[in-house]
Amino acid sequence: MKHIPADMSLWQGRTDPEDGERGLRLHQHIQALSDGSSRAGTVLFGFACDEGVARNKGRQGAALAPDAIRQALANLAWHQCPPLFDGGTIACDDGDLVLAQQSLSAQIANALPHHNVLILGGGHETAWASFQGLSSYLSRHLSENSQRAPKIGIINFDAHFDLRTPQGLSQEGSSGTPFAQIAQFCQQRDWPFHYACLGVSRTSNTQALFDKAAQLNCWVEEDTQMHTDALPALKTKLTQFIQGCDYLYLTLDMDVFPAASAPGVSAPAAYGVPVHVIEPLLQHIFTDAHQQAIRIPVCDITEVNPNYDRDQQTSRLAARMAWSMLHASPTRIDNQGE
């Protein structure tokens, strides 16, 4: 495991000086985390990790994703994006997944008092690190007088539940176990487990996994239920879900999209959920959370696999999703711990 400082040479793209500030792109706006990072904004961390996917018997290559997504993000138009910082990448290059996840979670917890965080994975084992970082921050900064456990709403756009019980090769976790690990964490601390998995493929998840989701009282929407006509009802359900939360953790697994839109993933979706359904739902989540004064401190995008991509199609789509999150996210940061 190693922490690789931000490589700002990745942030390159077109410049249009004749257009002044209105012609800026993200590569002209982003800074390394150590430079001027006292301003509230969003920090990007990479999690270059294939270990979880390998343990889950998937196609490897997700370790290449953070830099591929950065390069796709670099040339996108700025459009008054809030302050943006690159905090570098945690690389799991020695097979020690637990240590890599702990290192990422520590980076997240340290950033959250001043910034929101967007992680570019990596396999979906990224989610366990993301949640650990958020829970560590909340445990550290919540008022000592608060007797109520925080209710963290987890919204996962994903073709898979990722609720597998850690065992065998995955005893210490994999890309298929993060939400089972989170559920166990919450149970041990008497925290509520509030999990929505949107875009699940019935063909890719066994009945045992559906049973487990039901036992954990998860909100489940199958991919076949997520289409344009269903958007009003889905937005209403999201509002109801958000109303019961203190904080939100948003995670987007790129294999939720159809293979035609996202070919470069570990497990391409034969059906999937279209971009024109997911993007307005993402926007609704941020808008609704803002209206309810509920912070979304941590988001991540996972499972991009450049080894199997076509013309950077999946990396570009991941970059668009990241761009949407960055522009939808308010700069309000809690005052806890400051």
Side-chain angles (χ1 to χ4, degrees), residues 219-235:
W219 170 28
V220 178
E221 293 287 343
E222 295 187 35
D223 50 6
T224 54
Q225 299 169 314
M226 297 184 66
H227 45 78
T228 305
D229 292 343
L231 275 172
L234 290 169
K235 289 179 179 179

PDB file of all heavy atoms in Angstrom, residues 219-235:
ATOM      1  N   TRP A 219     -34.083  -1.042   0.785  1.00  0.00           N
ATOM      2  CA  TRP A 219     -34.941  -0.597  -0.317  1.00  0.00           C
ATOM      3  C   TRP A 219     -34.275  -1.064  -1.608  1.00  0.00           C
ATOM      4  O   TRP A 219     -33.134  -0.725  -1.895  1.00  0.00           O
ATOM      5  CB  TRP A 219     -35.099   0.917  -0.302  1.00  0.00           C
ATOM      6  CG  TRP A 219     -35.763   1.468  -1.530  1.00  0.00           C
ATOM      7  CD1 TRP A 219     -36.658   0.831  -2.347  1.00  0.00           C
ATOM      8  CD2 TRP A 219     -35.560   2.766  -2.108  1.00  0.00           C
ATOM      9  NE1 TRP A 219     -37.031   1.654  -3.381  1.00  0.00           N
ATOM     10  CE2 TRP A 219     -36.388   2.835  -3.260  1.00  0.00           C
ATOM     11  CE3 TRP A 219     -34.785   3.869  -1.748  1.00  0.00           C
ATOM     12  CZ2 TRP A 219     -36.437   3.979  -4.058  1.00  0.00           C
ATOM     13  CZ3 TRP A 219     -34.839   4.998  -2.542  1.00  0.00           C
ATOM     14  CH2 TRP A 219     -35.660   5.059  -3.681  1.00  0.00           C
ATOM     15  N   VAL A 220     -35.004  -1.836  -2.399  1.00  0.00           N
ATOM     16  CA  VAL A 220     -34.467  -2.427  -3.615  1.00  0.00           C
ATOM     17  C   VAL A 220     -35.308  -2.014  -4.814  1.00  0.00           C
ATOM     18  O   VAL A 220     -36.539  -2.105  -4.788  1.00  0.00           O
ATOM     19  CB  VAL A 220     -34.450  -3.974  -3.517  1.00  0.00           C
ATOM     20  CG1 VAL A 220     -33.923  -4.586  -4.816  1.00  0.00           C
ATOM     21  CG2 VAL A 220     -33.618  -4.421  -2.330  1.00  0.00           C
ATOM     22  N   GLU A 221     -34.645  -1.549  -5.856  1.00  0.00           N
ATOM     23  CA  GLU A 221     -35.294  -1.308  -7.142  1.00  0.00           C
ATOM     24  C   GLU A 221     -34.533  -2.098  -8.200  1.00  0.00           C
ATOM     25  O   GLU A 221     -33.326  -1.934  -8.349  1.00  0.00           O
ATOM     26  CB  GLU A 221     -35.274   0.179  -7.514  1.00  0.00           C
ATOM     27  CG  GLU A 221     -36.117   1.073  -6.632  1.00  0.00           C
ATOM     28  CD  GLU A 221     -37.619   0.927  -6.854  1.00  0.00           C
ATOM     29  OE1 GLU A 221     -38.010   0.364  -7.908  1.00  0.00           O
ATOM     30  OE2 GLU A 221     -38.389   1.381  -5.980  1.00  0.00           O
ATOM     31  N   GLU A 222     -35.228  -2.967  -8.891  1.00  0.00           N
ATOM     32  CA  GLU A 222     -34.583  -3.737  -9.947  1.00  0.00           C
ATOM     33  C   GLU A 222     -34.403  -2.889 -11.199  1.00  0.00           C
ATOM     34  O   GLU A 222     -35.114  -1.898 -11.420  1.00  0.00           O
ATOM     35  CB  GLU A 222     -35.397  -4.989 -10.250  1.00  0.00           C
ATOM     36  CG  GLU A 222     -35.440  -5.965  -9.089  1.00  0.00           C
ATOM     37  CD  GLU A 222     -36.118  -7.281  -9.446  1.00  0.00           C
ATOM     38  OE1 GLU A 222     -35.963  -7.735 -10.614  1.00  0.00           O
ATOM     39  OE2 GLU A 222     -36.807  -7.849  -8.580  1.00  0.00           O
ATOM     40  N   ASP A 223     -33.452  -3.291 -12.032  1.00  0.00           N
ATOM     41  CA  ASP A 223     -33.154  -2.535 -13.248  1.00  0.00           C
ATOM     42  C   ASP A 223     -34.390  -2.392 -14.139  1.00  0.00           C
ATOM     43  O   ASP A 223     -34.611  -1.340 -14.752  1.00  0.00           O
ATOM     44  CB  ASP A 223     -31.988  -3.160 -14.013  1.00  0.00           C
ATOM     45  CG  ASP A 223     -32.138  -4.668 -14.242  1.00  0.00           C
ATOM     46  OD1 ASP A 223     -33.203  -5.243 -13.921  1.00  0.00           O
ATOM     47  OD2 ASP A 223     -31.154  -5.280 -14.740  1.00  0.00           O
ATOM     48  N   THR A 224     -35.225  -3.415 -14.182  1.00  0.00           N
ATOM     49  CA  THR A 224     -36.424  -3.374 -15.029  1.00  0.00           C
ATOM     50  C   THR A 224     -37.463  -2.374 -14.522  1.00  0.00           C
ATOM     51  O   THR A 224     -38.375  -1.994 -15.262  1.00  0.00           O
ATOM     52  CB  THR A 224     -37.070  -4.765 -15.109  1.00  0.00           C
ATOM     53  OG1 THR A 224     -37.308  -5.249 -13.778  1.00  0.00           O
ATOM     54  CG2 THR A 224     -36.163  -5.749 -15.842  1.00  0.00           C
ATOM     55  N   GLN A 225     -37.324  -1.953 -13.266  1.00  0.00           N
ATOM     56  CA  GLN A 225     -38.259  -0.990 -12.679  1.00  0.00           C
ATOM     57  C   GLN A 225     -37.790   0.453 -12.860  1.00  0.00           C
ATOM     58  O   GLN A 225     -38.532   1.380 -12.514  1.00  0.00           O
ATOM     59  CB  GLN A 225     -38.411  -1.270 -11.180  1.00  0.00           C
ATOM     60  CG  GLN A 225     -38.966  -2.654 -10.853  1.00  0.00           C
ATOM     61  CD  GLN A 225     -38.849  -2.982  -9.372  1.00  0.00           C
ATOM     62  OE1 GLN A 225     -37.802  -2.761  -8.760  1.00  0.00           O
ATOM     63  NE2 GLN A 225     -39.922  -3.502  -8.796  1.00  0.00           N
ATOM     64  N   MET A 226     -36.587   0.614 -13.399  1.00  0.00           N
ATOM     65  CA  MET A 226     -35.993   1.955 -13.486  1.00  0.00           C
ATOM     66  C   MET A 226     -35.956   2.415 -14.943  1.00  0.00           C
ATOM     67  O   MET A 226     -35.030   2.116 -15.701  1.00  0.00           O
ATOM     68  CB  MET A 226     -34.597   1.952 -12.856  1.00  0.00           C
ATOM     69  CG  MET A 226     -34.637   1.619 -11.371  1.00  0.00           C
ATOM     70  SD  MET A 226     -33.027   1.721 -10.552  1.00  0.00           S
ATOM     71  CE  MET A 226     -32.682   3.481 -10.665  1.00  0.00           C
ATOM     72  N   HIS A 227     -37.024   3.131 -15.318  1.00  0.00           N
ATOM     73  CA  HIS A 227     -37.153   3.652 -16.673  1.00  0.00           C
ATOM     74  C   HIS A 227     -37.742   5.057 -16.593  1.00  0.00           C
ATOM     75  O   HIS A 227     -38.106   5.537 -15.499  1.00  0.00           O
ATOM     76  CB  HIS A 227     -38.016   2.729 -17.524  1.00  0.00           C
ATOM     77  CG  HIS A 227     -39.269   2.263 -16.841  1.00  0.00           C
ATOM     78  ND1 HIS A 227     -40.399   3.047 -16.709  1.00  0.00           N
ATOM     79  CD2 HIS A 227     -39.552   1.104 -16.184  1.00  0.00           C
ATOM     80  CE1 HIS A 227     -41.333   2.395 -16.050  1.00  0.00           C
ATOM     81  NE2 HIS A 227     -40.854   1.208 -15.711  1.00  0.00           N
ATOM     82  N   THR A 228     -37.847   5.722 -17.718  1.00  0.00           N
ATOM     83  CA  THR A 228     -38.262   7.130 -17.723  1.00  0.00           C
ATOM     84  C   THR A 228     -39.623   7.331 -17.078  1.00  0.00           C
ATOM     85  O   THR A 228     -39.819   8.277 -16.295  1.00  0.00           O
ATOM     86  CB  THR A 228     -38.278   7.658 -19.171  1.00  0.00           C
ATOM     87  OG1 THR A 228     -36.993   7.441 -19.775  1.00  0.00           O
ATOM     88  CG2 THR A 228     -38.585   9.144 -19.183  1.00  0.00           C
ATOM     89  N   ASP A 229     -40.582   6.482 -17.394  1.00  0.00           N
ATOM     90  CA  ASP A 229     -41.927   6.647 -16.840  1.00  0.00           C
ATOM     91  C   ASP A 229     -41.950   6.495 -15.325  1.00  0.00           C
ATOM     92  O   ASP A 229     -42.863   6.997 -14.658  1.00  0.00           O
ATOM     93  CB  ASP A 229     -42.895   5.635 -17.462  1.00  0.00           C
ATOM     94  CG  ASP A 229     -43.164   5.912 -18.932  1.00  0.00           C
ATOM     95  OD1 ASP A 229     -42.868   7.044 -19.374  1.00  0.00           O
ATOM     96  OD2 ASP A 229     -43.650   5.010 -19.639  1.00  0.00           O
ATOM     97  N   ALA A 230     -40.944   5.805 -14.769  1.00  0.00           N
ATOM     98  CA  ALA A 230     -40.908   5.568 -13.323  1.00  0.00           C
ATOM     99  C   ALA A 230     -40.214   6.692 -12.563  1.00  0.00           C
ATOM    100  O   ALA A 230     -40.207   6.676 -11.322  1.00  0.00           O
ATOM    101  CB  ALA A 230     -40.190   4.243 -13.035  1.00  0.00           C
ATOM    102  N   LEU A 231     -39.643   7.670 -13.272  1.00  0.00           N
ATOM    103  CA  LEU A 231     -38.863   8.716 -12.595  1.00  0.00           C
ATOM    104  C   LEU A 231     -39.647   9.461 -11.510  1.00  0.00           C
ATOM    105  O   LEU A 231     -39.123   9.668 -10.405  1.00  0.00           O
ATOM    106  CB  LEU A 231     -38.306   9.705 -13.620  1.00  0.00           C
ATOM    107  CG  LEU A 231     -36.983   9.294 -14.284  1.00  0.00           C
ATOM    108  CD1 LEU A 231     -36.621  10.257 -15.414  1.00  0.00           C
ATOM    109  CD2 LEU A 231     -35.859   9.246 -13.261  1.00  0.00           C
ATOM    110  N   PRO A 232     -40.894   9.891 -11.750  1.00  0.00           N
ATOM    111  CA  PRO A 232     -41.613  10.601 -10.675  1.00  0.00           C
ATOM    112  C   PRO A 232     -41.758   9.766  -9.412  1.00  0.00           C
ATOM    113  O   PRO A 232     -41.538  10.259  -8.296  1.00  0.00           O
ATOM    114  CB  PRO A 232     -42.970  10.921 -11.312  1.00  0.00           C
ATOM    115  CG  PRO A 232     -42.695  10.965 -12.784  1.00  0.00           C
ATOM    116  CD  PRO A 232     -41.671   9.894 -13.008  1.00  0.00           C
ATOM    117  N   ALA A 233     -42.105   8.497  -9.562  1.00  0.00           N
ATOM    118  CA  ALA A 233     -42.268   7.625  -8.397  1.00  0.00           C
ATOM    119  C   ALA A 233     -40.929   7.376  -7.703  1.00  0.00           C
ATOM    120  O   ALA A 233     -40.851   7.352  -6.463  1.00  0.00           O
ATOM    121  CB  ALA A 233     -42.896   6.297  -8.822  1.00  0.00           C
ATOM    122  N   LEU A 234     -39.863   7.205  -8.490  1.00  0.00           N
ATOM    123  CA  LEU A 234     -38.540   6.980  -7.909  1.00  0.00           C
ATOM    124  C   LEU A 234     -38.075   8.207  -7.131  1.00  0.00           C
ATOM    125  O   LEU A 234     -37.492   8.092  -6.051  1.00  0.00           O
ATOM    126  CB  LEU A 234     -37.535   6.628  -9.010  1.00  0.00           C
ATOM    127  CG  LEU A 234     -37.711   5.258  -9.658  1.00  0.00           C
ATOM    128  CD1 LEU A 234     -36.835   5.139 -10.910  1.00  0.00           C
ATOM    129  CD2 LEU A 234     -37.367   4.142  -8.680  1.00  0.00           C
ATOM    130  N   LYS A 235     -38.348   9.391  -7.659  1.00  0.00           N
ATOM    131  CA  LYS A 235     -37.960  10.614  -6.960  1.00  0.00           C
ATOM    132  C   LYS A 235     -38.728  10.750  -5.647  1.00  0.00           C
ATOM    133  O   LYS A 235     -38.167  11.177  -4.624  1.00  0.00           O
ATOM    134  CB  LYS A 235     -38.198  11.826  -7.852  1.00  0.00           C
ATOM    135  CG  LYS A 235     -37.221  11.926  -9.010  1.00  0.00           C
ATOM    136  CD  LYS A 235     -37.513  13.139  -9.884  1.00  0.00           C
ATOM    137  CE  LYS A 235     -36.517  13.250 -11.039  1.00  0.00           C
ATOM    138  NZ  LYS A 235     -36.800  14.425 -11.913  1.00  0.00           N
TER     139      LYS A 235
END
